Amino acid sequence: MKEKSSISELSYNPYSKRDEYCYVEGKSGVVYPGVRVENISFPLSISAVQAAVCSCLANGDQPKAIYQTGNRSELLEYWISEFDLELIEEIPELTQIYNPLYPFPEHPEKELEKLCKQAVTIHSDFPVSALLYTEKGCIHGVNVEVGAWSLGLCAERVALSRAIAAGIRQFSHIHVAAPKSEFCSPCGACRQVLNELMPKSIIYLHHNKNSLTKHFVEHLLPNGFTSGALKNR
Ligand code: THU
């Protein structure tokens, strides 16, 4: 299969076929790509702007402008007003594009602990970190909370949406840590999204007192929602 390389073709959109992509420029000058990532449970879909802004914030950066052509992201106006973004309706030559691929860490638990410091938890003060392993490298995720509670993203979904925007769809495993909880357990929405994008992969959950459990992603969502009627409409 021909590899898709242009961001305009990278959306995961099996239900609508609607491409949606953008770049959010941070105050650091780094530019963060975002694409639409749908879910069979439609309300769990991630818009391009949500993915890009959360990727920017999860990198300790602050969004300042958005480059967007083609289909407009859902709730674009919310993100523009929340972060006072300059809207630029063309995509210029971009040089400093965020590369989500990091080397595989020698000690995932230490990396998860370090990564948690980047979580943006303005409401919960509850940091979560995720390391998503792909054949091309390791993708980082932390939870990001924004003014509207329901529009932030969990750590797992920040990592997955960064991967999709980088054209990566194959995942071997993911590590997740939530140091303030006794037992680390992904939320229902993340189980749903993980199960759609990497059902056969492994998830490692890092609990308190250095304990670790290993699961197949699909085992975390028994009898998950499915319907052949929804695909390729
Ligand atoms: N959170 C995650 O990042 N992953 C999960 O699986 C559970 C919840 C975050 C979202 C929010 O920022 C905070 O934890 C409290 O819900």
Side-chain angles (χ1 to χ4, degrees), residues 124 126 128 143 145 154-156 186-187 190:
S124 69
F126 184 85
V128 183
N143 53 331
E145 297 171 6
C154 291
E156 299 91 320
C187 71
C190 283

